[in-house]
Amino acid sequence: MKTRTIFLRIVAFCAIFFIVSCSKNSKSPQNLISSEKTANSSEDPLVHVPMPAKLDSAMRKSFDAETYVELKKLNSKNVKSFYITKENYLSMIDNLPENAEKVVFSFVQFNKSKFPNKYKELYKFDGSLYMLFYYLDKDGNNITGKTYAVLSIKNAVEVSEADFNTMFQDYKTNIKPEIDHFVKGPQGNTLSVNLAKSDLLVYKEKLDNRKDIGKFKITLAQWVNVPDFVSKGQIKILSSRLSAFTEDTAGQMTFITDCENLNGEDINSLSGDDMNKLCPQDCP
């Protein structure tokens, strides 16, 4: 009887130890990834994960060597980096409608001849690649019915839906076909880069307590074959964030967000961010 009692106590102790151990390990990378879809976004450790350094560098260099060369041939005004003032960037997040699911940056071509006496702040981008953003709800509807320009201009500019459609069509007609051959997949280049509202809100939390933020830099890049530039461990940890990117995605444009301090230097903890979703993989 005494032996049986001792045995039961040992079994109970082992069960308690197992439960406590599981609880302590619930925040391991594997568990965090598997529970990411149900985790509160403010606790999600993969929101705004800087790109692994080798991948970040490879994506920028690949764009410079291929897509950017073609863009410069199309129009010498094309640039590979845009700036967003601190005020415009934070305003973009602060003005997120309650029912917004994502912020979408769509590629466009601005041709000033089609908009006489309108959007004069954008004249310096005449004929070149540009991006406009807008807010989408869960059903893919543009919530405000407008798009907004914030890249490399002082104050945000509102663009009507009709005018956006003209600029968007010009990108699809005049630019996209010229850079599609750099993309491995048959769908060609992307139409937009989508940022989740939850990710932007968590990113803003990281900005709120800093006094040294100068401006943000949006640098065009293109996806490469990810396994060539990251370790197996990194792929495992980032698997859910990189799930949309396949071999067919290689060559598609995206952008990497860097945050600069008041001296124009990158703030490492707020830079190297590109966990964006691309359309046509992830379209409204």
Side-chain angles (χ1 to χ4, degrees), residues 11-274:
V11 171
F13 175 79
C14 290
I16 292 172
F17 179 79
F18 176 77
I19 292 172
V20 171
S21 296
C22 289
S23 176
K24 286 183 178 180
N25 291 327
S26 64
K27 291 188 178 181
S28 67
Q30 278 187 301
N31 288 333
L32 287 169
I33 289 173
S34 64
S35 64
E36 183 184 6
K37 292 183 179 179
T38 57
N40 184 293
S41 62
S42 64
E43 298 173 353
D44 180 2
L46 300 182
V47 170
H48 186 71
V49 177
M51 297 292 284
K54 288 178 65 176
L55 180 59
D56 179 296
S57 177
M59 289 172 61
R60 297 181 198 240
K61 289 179 179 178
S62 182
F63 174 82
D64 291 354
E66 296 182 343
T67 301
Y68 187 56
V69 171
E70 193 64 38
L71 289 174
K72 293 295 282 186
K73 290 179 183 178
L74 292 173
N75 190 318
S76 60
K77 293 181 181 179
N78 276 312
V79 298
K80 58 184 176 182
S81 292
F82 301 91
Y83 285 91
I84 304 182
T85 65
K86 175 183 176 180
E87 293 73 22
N88 282 341
Y89 196 89
L90 294 181
S91 178
M92 177 185 75
I93 301 175
D94 290 336
N95 290 329
L96 274 159
E98 186 175 346
N99 57 334
E101 286 286 312
K102 63 182 74 172
V103 172
V104 176
F105 276 85
S106 283
F107 291 104
V108 299
Q109 183 187 40
F110 175 74
N111 292 301
K112 69 178 183 181
S113 62
K114 296 187 177 183
F115 309 102
N117 301 316
K118 295 174 71 175
Y119 313 124
K120 292 184 178 180
E121 297 90 340
L122 303 182
Y123 276 19
K124 59 185 174 180
F125 301 109
D126 183 34
S128 62
L129 180 72
Y130 194 67
M131 285 181 281
L132 299 174
F133 84 85
Y134 47 97
Y135 303 108
L136 287 187
D137 63 18
K138 65 179 181 179
D139 297 317
N141 300 312
N142 183 335
I143 296 172
T144 66
K146 298 178 181 178
T147 57
Y148 307 90
V150 291
L151 302 180
S152 296
I153 56 176
K154 184 176 181 180
N155 299 311
V157 175
E158 290 187 1
V159 177
S160 71
E161 189 169 17
D163 290 348
F164 162 74
N165 288 333
T166 297
M167 299 179 201
F168 186 48
Q169 188 59 49
D170 282 348
Y171 162 71
K172 292 193 290 183
T173 301
N174 303 326
I175 298 179
K176 185 178 182 295
E178 303 301 323
I179 56 178
D180 278 350
H181 64 279
F182 295 119
V183 181
K184 284 190 177 181
Q187 75 285 338
N189 225 298
T190 188
L191 302 175
S192 63
V193 177
N194 307 328
L195 292 78
K197 175 183 179 179
S198 56
D199 288 5
L200 286 169
L201 292 177
V202 172
Y203 185 48
K204 185 176 183 296
E205 289 179 10
K206 298 172 182 283
L207 305 174
D208 285 341
N209 296 323
R210 300 196 67 119
K211 307 293 185 181
D212 58 342
I213 294 174
K215 56 188 174 184
F216 298 85
K217 183 170 67 175
I218 301 297
T219 298
L220 293 171
Q222 69 185 40
W223 279 94
V224 293
N225 189 35
V226 172
D228 292 345
F229 300 97
V230 297
S231 67
K232 291 182 179 179
Q234 288 171 322
I235 288 180
K236 190 174 183 179
I237 292 173
L238 300 175
S239 61
S240 58
R241 302 290 283 177
L242 295 171
S243 60
F245 308 110
T246 65
E247 287 188 6
D248 282 354
T249 310
Q252 283 197 354
M253 283 193 301
T254 182
F255 61 77
I256 297 174
T257 302
D258 297 316
C259 180
E260 296 185 352
N261 62 25
L262 298 174
N263 296 320
E265 302 163 330
D266 286 352
I267 300 174
N268 290 334
S269 62
L270 297 172
S271 298
D273 178 32
D274 183 0

